[in-house]
Amino acid sequence: MLRLENCRIMNGDYAVEADLEISPGACAAVIGPSGAGKSTLVEAIAGFLPVTRGRIFWNGSDLTNSPPGKRPVAMLFQDGNLFPHLTVAQNVGLGLHANLRLSQSERSQVEAALERVGLSGMGGRKPAALSGGQQSRVALARVLVQGRQILLLDEPFAALGPALKAGMLDLVAELTRESGATVLMVSHDPDDARRIADQVVLVADGKAHPPEPAAELLDNPPPALKAYLG
Amino acid sequence: MLVAALILGTLAAVAFRAEAGTGIAASDYVALRFTLTQACLSALLSVGLAIPVARALARRRFPGRRLLIALLGAPFILPVIVAILGLLAVFGRAGWLSGFLGLFGLEPVQIYGLHGVVLAHVFFNLPLATRLILQGWQEIPAERFRLAAQLGAGRLAVWRLLEGPMLKRVAPGALAVVFAICLSSFAVALTLGGGPRATTIELAIYQAFRFDFDLGRAALLSGMQLVLTGGAAMVALRASAGEGFGTGLDRMIRRWDGRSAWSCGLDGFWIALSAAFLLLPLAAIVLAGLPGLTALKSNVWQAAGNSILVASISTVILLALALPMAAAVAAGRNGMTELSGIMGLAASPLVIGTGLFILIYPVADPFALALPVTALVNAVMALPFAMRILVPRAREVLARYGRLSLSLDMQGWAFVRRVYLPRMRAQTGFAAGLAAALSMGDLGVVTLFADPEFATLPLQIYRLMGAYRMEAAAGAALLLLLLSMGAFWLLDRGGRWHAEA
């Protein structure tokens, strides 16, 4: 259970408040007008923004003051998820050891992850030699070997075409169903939410609302969401 | 912090000794006046000549323009002693110009003294000033020129509307930078100045040191020099805020003005004149050096070996200082770091050298430490330039990959080795190349510390010149030129080799 208890997150001169729980294994879409603080919310969970009030818990343990790399969190950013000077296999291997000293079994783990996302045999390439969709798959393979319990997506597939994006979301859903990870996915597209999310967290007017079942919320939107959906 | 300690520590040593000094002699005032006079003249001439050259380069397109602009960067890493030999070959008593004048029965020109010092400074700083001012020209948006053309603005109107205001903004900065550089001129004054009436403060420090071994007076002069350069560096940094070093200068701007035959001819004249002024001495050194190159004595090769060693150590020290400092500045952690980079600009090599000598003297034999001290001071001198190259890239790397690395728990050495160093490679190579070339050609602090048995290549060339063995000096100068340019090319190229964008 991911719990944000009476949290207030400052990002520059605006603040987002959150008091909510997300059940383990859920896939929650974070939806709201642009500039409302969707990214701010997930960045606070990842540890990039400090909470000025309240606490963040995962399964009862307090994460509020842990550094980003020590949280049970894997995160994919809008861009810059891969290091261009490292090979595909090295980029994935970073998820196991940041110093890249990998044992034989860890190396086969990397290879297995690449195979799982449909990139077997491409471990020796550099990211620049891959298409946009393939680069996203490399990042997902790294999430796979990281084996963290929470996955945060800050619109990492926004630059892909609609069909490719849908495919990547399906792959995320499939992978996290297998691993049982809890997913928070920032999106400005309600179709993304419908596609894989079972819950929706609405962020509007400086407040992150507690999650509600996706289908019901999107079919009968409250005024704030209605204004956004149009 | 280490750098600040080095600079401040040596300054403290200097200040401490200065108080024990004997007061300012009349000759010191002469040195002060000469220093200011030559710096003012050099700055005015460099910038004054740079304006028509930059204007010609800004509004003409011709084959070789890019090459010429790139060449304008070359004097920066050109060893001073090499340039001086080249200038002597062209403008000296037995030089080309004197020979040409001799054909008409005229007296040969005299290069030693104030005008020789100013000539050499203009040779070094005209290209720099041209680059700074050309940048100002390139920053005038193309749309403005289009608008001016549409309004039918003539030469005077374009000048009043666009070029005049730009120069008012850019020229003071260029003046201040050249002035600050010329204040701490040592090698030029050592070789072309000399005599009590053409002595800069830096040269006076050296003379107090080498000839009289009067550490108190050297310290006092160092204090004077420091106040002067410190003030000038502050003014220069204020006046030239944001002026980049070595930025791209080839944005295409179409010009509709200046089409008349008169202005074409004028621009052609300025471009040809500046190119000749820059290239003739270089050509002269190559021509004069080739015969001497095959007959180099073993002590020249030995000196070359010392120079390569000094340059290598200096480059390693520079990188060890600059890479962590760039990261610290980029992370915004340490306000002090940028400051010590500025202090590196203000402190002169001879001042630091004097301070180090005073510090080392009671403990060890300074002459035995000539090599490491030279390498260290050279590295500190190259630091401000290295920081200007490294910091913007370090900011970019941290901004782009900092969060991803944090989320992967990639910290400390793993981040440095896997992300920071690989991403900084091209800039590191460029900075290392500059440092190596500067150190290779440096004729500064080594003159304080070297005993007769030890020499770097520039010092050896200076000694050969002093012994009037000009052919051997020219050969060694060509070798030095090749070594400096080679070191720069090798390191800069090495940084970019196989580097991904």
Side-chain angles (χ1 to χ4, degrees), chain B residues 263-284:
Chain B
S263 62
C264 279
L266 194 69
D267 286 350
F269 166 76
W270 281 111
I271 290 171
L273 189 73
S274 59
F277 182 52
L278 294 176
L279 294 178
L280 278 182
L282 286 181

Side-chain angles (χ1 to χ4, degrees), chain A residues 8 11 22 37 54 71 91 105 118 124 127 143 145 161 164 186 189 197 202-203 210 215-216 223:
Chain A
R8 185 182 167 84
N11 187 0
I22 294 182
R71 301 186 181 205
N91 265 295
S105 73
V143 168
V145 300
L164 206 48
V186 171
D189 185 352
L202 175 64
V203 181
E216 292 167 34

Side-chain angles (χ1 to χ4, degrees), chain B residues 268-443:
Chain B
F269 166 76
W270 281 111
I271 290 171
L273 189 73
S274 59
F277 182 52
L278 294 176
L279 294 178
L280 278 182
L282 286 181
I285 201 66
V286 172
L287 287 180
L290 276 176
L293 198 59
T294 49
L296 291 177
K297 293 268 169 46
S298 68
N299 55 6
V300 171
W301 290 111
Q302 212 174 352
N306 283 335
S307 276
I308 293 172
L309 196 60
V310 166
S312 315
I313 298 174
S314 174
T315 307
V316 171
I317 297 176
L318 173 88
L319 292 182
L321 290 172
L323 282 169
M325 273 171 72
V329 171
R333 231 177 301 148
N334 201 338
M336 275 302 289
T337 345
E338 218 157 17
L339 188 69
S340 63
I342 293 172
M343 283 166 67
L345 203 67
S348 80
L350 283 208
V351 173
I352 296 186
T354 309
L356 279 176
F357 195 99
I358 292 169
L359 286 179
I360 294 170
Y361 189 55
V363 201
D365 176 15
F367 297 113
L369 294 173
L371 199 147
V373 165
T374 306
L376 178 67
V377 174
N378 285 345
V380 172
M381 288 301 123
L383 196 57
F385 304 110
M387 293 296 278
R388 279 184 119 173
I389 297 164
L390 293 176
V391 167
R393 176 65 174 174
R395 287 218 168 95
E396 211 178 294
V397 170
L398 290 197
R400 189 158 173 79
Y401 299 111
R403 288 199 316 177
L404 175 58
S405 305
L406 266 182
S407 84
L408 292 169
D409 199 18
M410 200 179 187
Q411 282 167 354
W413 182 235
F415 178 74
V416 170
R417 200 168 78 94
R418 292 294 176 187
V419 182
Y420 183 66
L421 292 182
R423 299 312 298 166
M424 296 287 289
R425 216 176 72 173
Q427 286 71 17
T428 306
F430 185 41
L434 274 187
L438 286 175
S439 174
M440 191 83 78
D442 177 64
L443 179 61

